[in-house]
Amino acid sequence: MGKSQKQRAIRRHNPMRVPDTHLPKGLASASSSSSKNEAVLPIIQKMESPEVGERKWACVAVSNIIQNDPSTRRLLQGKNVVGALIARLTDSEEEVVVEAMGSLRNLCIDGGYDICAEMYNKNILTPLKAFVPKISTTLEQYLANPKAAPENAAKLVYEFADNVITTLWCLSETSNKALNAINALQLVPFLMSFLACRDRLPLAPVTAAAQCLYVLSDDNEPAIDEVRSNGEFITSLLAIARTVSDARTSHGKVDIRRLQLGVLASGVLKNISPLPLAVASDIDIDKELVTMLLPVLQNTSLRDATARVPVLLSEQANEVAVDKPSLKNTPKSDHRSPVEIELESIENQLRTTQLALEILTAACATLPDPDVSKHDEEADEQEDEGMEEEEIDEGVNDEMSVEGVPSKDEVKSSVDLLPSLVPVLIQLAEPTALSFPPLANPSIHPPTTSALGAVHIAALECLNNIFLSLARNPSSTVQADTVAAKGIWDGLWKSLGLVGTEFGLGQERRKQFWELAIGVLWGVSMVWKGFLAPDAQEVELLKLFCNSSEDERVRVKCIGTLECLAQCPTAVDGNKIIAEYLFTLLPTDTTPPAGVEPAIQAGSALIDIYSDETFPYDVNFRANGYLERLVAHVDAMKKLVKGIDRRKPGGRELRLRGEEVRDNLVAFLKYRKALKL
């Protein structure tokens, strides 16, 4: 059972607003599903027009027609709109450059990784690199003498800076290659200059700078070292992070921009922790982060947001069209109606909550991963070349059998979080009517649906880390609180019932919810093992999900949860149902039906369940001939373990785990035979 954490190669903070992975690939499918085919060719043609006005119009038109329209965006992408816009970044007219940059920024946000990768491959970093010092110089001039800066010119520069920084943020999440190229730009001082001058600049570019810094400092040593090397940077970040509780307007409403800025600063501090002693020797950053961010979660109402969106959309439908987008007229103005502003505000609130959850997830990940040393890898290679299993260096086994363990203070901190944090997380994990719309009836507002789903996922990841820590380090205080256990367990199953099981294309997040929730269920069942009794319907759902999942790790989570439920002393019938299912997963002469790791987990589960013959449910072991049935699987288990290739990714750890279970199985059977029950 692994802890949840941000992993750059797999999942970084995703700026994509509306996922569109369910859409068919290819230009033909995009063309057939887009309602704006006729508009695309004129845009591409006018991008190269000798007339400045037409080039500017074409750049703005891209933003107009792609908004929440993935089909048209993909159609434009197939016509090389990215290359055309990048070419306009070196246009002789400043206004064209500004509009092209704005459209590229919008493509990044709405299009996600694919378009960002295309931009990187088409060398967008060359013009962006040239923009950075120009923006810095202009800002210095404006800040030194604000009255000398024309209002419109200053506004233009701030918006341009926002677009450039946001694009750099999105690009840095594209790939390690893109991230390394952006590291070479050494952006930290540039980004921190916006945060240092936050009181004299509009919030939009300051927040964009904080977001970019948050992403760059996420498991990225060059950026982390840059921030940690400057005490003024850390002091500034601490000052911003501590304003989270003060992010309210004079009317008492939450100022989402200021709140987001404070949360982002908190995230950067977590990314670069531990903080240098010379700057923050007396600060427990994890404890302070929880104190600062918990109110953000407590003040988030997903149900209020869900209820408000349909009302706003209804109002929007009844509004008289003002400044309606038209490709035949001048570009759409930046004016947004009150409804559009409130819808964006709701989305920003949800994204800020998601961000706070991500930071807390990292703070709750107290268990370090075991390191595999070079010496151990070399020992494995030698063994694979001819060493017998019995000759494995015992020191290596001893080292790898002990995983990293948090300190007592860290465990106590996790326990202290339960009363205040866990109920809020359970509430944020519970889906609303807009969270997971069926594919046949798409969301009435995709940005809100996307943000809600992201909040649910982040809440589950945080819960996963809390209960993993508690399961690995039992607390008598927590285990005694069976009322909390029942509430948490029922709350998770309630959420799963609301999510449903409609998987498939376009429903990837629904499946992800299940996979994460099963992990949390496993953690909860380990913490309260023996108290939580197996419910027949829940057991059947776990079995069904285990059988249908293509991911062996998810199957292991299902098996682990069933194993814990089977150890409820009073659940004799439920114990038998689970045990019979586990037997179907054990290896035979053929390939294990659920895979190698699930087969090993099933063997381990049966050993743990029946390791104490005094429990009431042990009657099942004796009455159903489980001893003889397990004996029949021993040779297959040995063969299965011996066939695990250490050289494959994760193979070494799996082989060690398999050898442990194999040896335990042999010892367990010897013990049970000696009992002569």
Side-chain angles (χ1 to χ4, degrees):
M1 179 182 177
K3 66 179 179 291
S4 296
Q5 60 184 5
K6 289 172 290 181
Q7 300 177 46
R8 184 171 65 253
I10 300 174
R11 180 193 61 83
R12 293 174 69 83
H13 179 71
N14 190 353
M16 181 165 53
R17 295 179 67 219
V18 186
D20 58 356
T21 53
H22 62 285
L23 294 178
K25 305 291 183 181
L27 191 58
S29 62
S31 179
S32 62
S33 57
S34 172
S35 60
K36 303 170 185 174
N37 283 323
E38 296 180 358
V40 170
L41 187 58
I43 290 175
I44 300 299
Q45 290 174 337
K46 291 185 179 182
M47 202 81 72
E48 303 288 341
S49 172
E51 296 294 327
V52 174
E54 290 190 345
R55 297 201 303 275
K56 179 182 175 182
W57 173 89
C59 292
V60 176
V62 172
S63 291
N64 287 349
I65 69 172
I66 68 167
Q67 190 173 17
N68 289 323
D69 188 347
S71 295
T72 300
R73 184 182 67 239
R74 289 185 170 186
L75 184 58
L76 276 167
Q77 190 177 0
K79 300 293 185 181
N80 193 32
V81 70
V82 170
L85 286 169
I86 291 175
R88 298 278 63 81
L89 294 181
T90 54
D91 198 282
S92 57
E93 292 295 327
E94 189 176 83
E95 289 187 353
V96 176
V97 174
V98 170
E99 297 299 348
M101 190 68 250
S103 288
L104 285 165
R105 175 255 191 199
N106 291 342
L107 280 168
C108 281
I109 290 178
D110 277 356
Y113 298 132
D114 289 344
I115 282 186
C116 288
E118 183 181 351
M119 290 182 188
Y120 173 75
N121 291 334
K122 291 182 176 176
N123 202 28
I124 191 176
L125 284 182
T126 295
L128 294 186
K129 180 180 180 180
F131 292 151
V132 169
K134 292 179 180 178
I135 293 171
S136 293
T137 301
T138 306
L139 284 177
E140 286 177 6
Q141 294 172 351
Y142 286 178
L143 292 174
N145 191 3
K147 295 182 179 180
E151 183 178 349
N152 290 339
K155 182 175 180 292
L156 194 66
V157 170
Y158 297 145
E159 290 178 354
F160 184 69
D162 184 356
N163 291 335
V164 170
I165 294 170
T166 301
T167 304
L168 287 167
W169 148 36
C170 295
L171 288 170
S172 68
E173 299 185 311
T174 305
S175 65
N176 284 335
K177 184 186 292 187
L179 180 64
N180 290 335
I182 291 173
N183 281 337
L185 301 181
Q186 296 183 318
L187 291 176
V188 169
F190 170 70
L191 298 172
M192 284 302 308
S193 68
F194 284 85
L195 301 185
C197 300
R198 59 191 178 278
D199 295 332
R200 294 186 288 163
L201 293 172
L203 268 175
V206 175
T207 304
Q211 177 68 77
C212 190
L213 189 63
Y214 171 64
V215 170
L216 286 177
S217 61
D218 178 12
D219 195 22
N220 178 29
E221 291 302 325
I224 292 172
D225 292 342
E226 274 197 272
V227 178
R228 285 172 55 87
S229 66
N230 191 312
E232 291 183 3
F233 291 170
I234 297 175
T235 301
S236 181
L237 288 166
L238 281 168
I240 297 171
R242 287 166 175 166
T243 64
V244 167
S245 60
D246 301 326
R248 293 187 177 274
T249 64
S250 56
H251 302 290
K253 293 184 178 180
V254 175
D255 186 330
I256 297 302
R257 284 282 195 181
R258 293 194 179 279
L259 180 65
Q260 188 178 42
L261 180 60
V263 173
L264 285 166
S266 301
V268 176
L269 290 168
K270 178 57 187 173
N271 287 345
I272 67 169
S273 63
L275 303 183
L277 294 177
V279 182
S281 59
D282 59 340
I283 296 177
D284 181 343
I285 189 62
D286 283 349
K287 183 176 180 180
E288 187 152 343
L289 285 174
V290 173
T291 302
M292 291 187 296
L293 297 180
L294 183 56
V296 177
L297 308 186
Q298 292 171 329
N299 293 328
T300 300
S301 174
L302 304 187
R303 296 198 175 281
D304 287 351
T306 299
R308 184 60 180 155
V309 167
V311 175
L312 291 170
L313 294 176
S314 177
E315 293 177 4
Q316 188 177 47
N318 294 328
E319 284 180 350
V320 177
V322 177
D323 196 18
K324 186 177 180 180
S326 174
L327 294 174
K328 296 180 180 179
N329 302 318
T330 56
K332 178 183 178 182
S333 75
D334 291 332
H335 172 75
R336 292 174 300 160
S337 69
V339 168
E340 290 174 319
I341 292 173
E342 188 172 349
L343 283 170
E344 184 177 338
S345 176
I346 290 173
E347 182 186 354
N348 285 338
Q349 288 180 36
L350 295 174
R351 292 296 182 188
T352 302
T353 300
Q354 175 198 354
L355 178 61
L357 287 167
E358 286 185 353
I359 297 166
L360 288 174
T361 296
C364 293
T366 57
L367 290 177
D369 294 316
D371 292 326
V372 179
S373 71
K374 183 178 180 181
H375 168 77
D376 295 337
E377 291 174 353
E378 291 174 352
D380 285 337
E381 292 174 3
Q382 293 173 4
E383 182 182 332
D384 287 332
E385 290 173 359
M387 290 178 64
E388 295 295 328
E389 291 184 9
E390 289 76 13
E391 296 175 352
I392 297 174
D393 180 65
E394 292 182 1
V396 175
N397 274 335
D398 290 342
E399 178 184 343
M400 289 306 301
S401 65
V402 180
E403 297 192 38
V405 178
S407 68
K408 292 181 180 179
D409 289 341
E410 289 174 321
V411 176
K412 184 178 185 300
S413 177
S414 296
V415 174
D416 292 342
L417 290 175
L418 280 173
S420 55
L421 183 55
V422 171
V424 179
L425 294 174
I426 293 292
Q427 187 175 17
L428 291 174
E430 184 177 320
T432 71
L434 274 180
S435 300
F436 298 99
L439 192 58
N441 188 21
S443 171
I444 58 174
H445 194 244
T448 300
T449 291
S450 177
L452 284 168
V455 169
H456 301 322
I457 296 301
L460 288 174
E461 289 176 332
C462 196
L463 285 166
N464 179 77
N465 284 1
I466 289 174
F467 287 109
L468 173 57
S469 179
L470 290 171
R472 295 281 180 86
N473 302 272
S475 162
S476 57
T477 302
V478 173
Q479 291 172 333
D481 193 353
T482 54
V483 174
K486 183 64 175 171
I488 294 166
W489 186 261
D490 290 345
L492 289 168
W493 279 107
K494 177 184 177 182
S495 293
L496 285 170
L498 291 171
V499 171
T501 56
E502 184 188 5
F503 305 137
L505 290 175
Q507 300 296 321
E508 291 81 6
R509 186 160 272 173
R510 192 188 300 268
K511 181 180 179 184
Q512 185 185 11
F513 186 101
W514 266 86
E515 292 175 348
L516 285 168
I518 296 296
V520 181
L521 287 172
W522 188 11
V524 174
S525 65
M526 282 194 287
V527 172
W528 284 286
K529 185 187 297 183
F531 167 73
L532 294 169
D535 173 85
Q537 185 177 4
E538 293 170 358
V539 168
E540 286 305 310
L541 283 171
L542 287 168
K543 289 163 56 179
L544 182 63
F545 195 70
C546 182
N547 292 336
S548 63
S549 177
E550 297 177 357
D551 190 333
E552 287 195 12
R553 293 170 299 177
V554 174
R555 293 173 184 164
V556 167
K557 293 177 184 179
C558 294
I559 295 166
T561 306
L562 290 169
E563 171 192 340
C564 294
L565 294 176
Q567 294 180 63
C568 179
T570 59
V572 176
D573 292 339
N575 173 277
K576 180 182 177 181
I577 293 172
I578 292 171
E580 291 293 338
Y581 175 68
L582 294 177
F583 269 104
T584 68
L585 305 177
L586 292 178
T588 59
D589 292 336
T590 59
T591 304
V596 174
E597 191 172 359
I600 292 172
Q601 184 68 32
S604 175
L606 285 166
I607 296 169
D608 288 345
I609 292 169
Y610 298 111
S611 61
D612 188 339
E613 69 279 3
T614 63
F615 279 112
Y617 55 70
D618 195 70
V619 64
N620 293 324
F621 189 90
R622 301 189 297 271
N624 296 287
Y626 288 170
L627 178 60
E628 292 75 16
R629 290 168 67 180
L630 280 172
V631 169
H633 287 281
V634 171
D635 289 341
M637 180 67 79
K638 290 180 178 179
K639 183 179 179 181
L640 177 77
V641 173
K642 190 174 182 179
I644 298 172
D645 189 349
R646 290 185 180 85
R647 292 166 296 187
K648 292 183 177 180
R652 184 176 189 280
E653 292 80 5
L654 182 58
R655 178 70 174 265
L656 288 169
R657 168 69 170 153
E659 290 169 350
E660 178 188 20
V661 172
R662 176 202 63 198
D663 295 343
N664 287 345
L665 178 60
V666 173
F668 169 75
L669 294 175
K670 183 178 180 180
Y671 168 75
R672 291 295 313 211
K673 286 179 181 178
L675 291 176
K676 297 181 180 181
L677 295 176

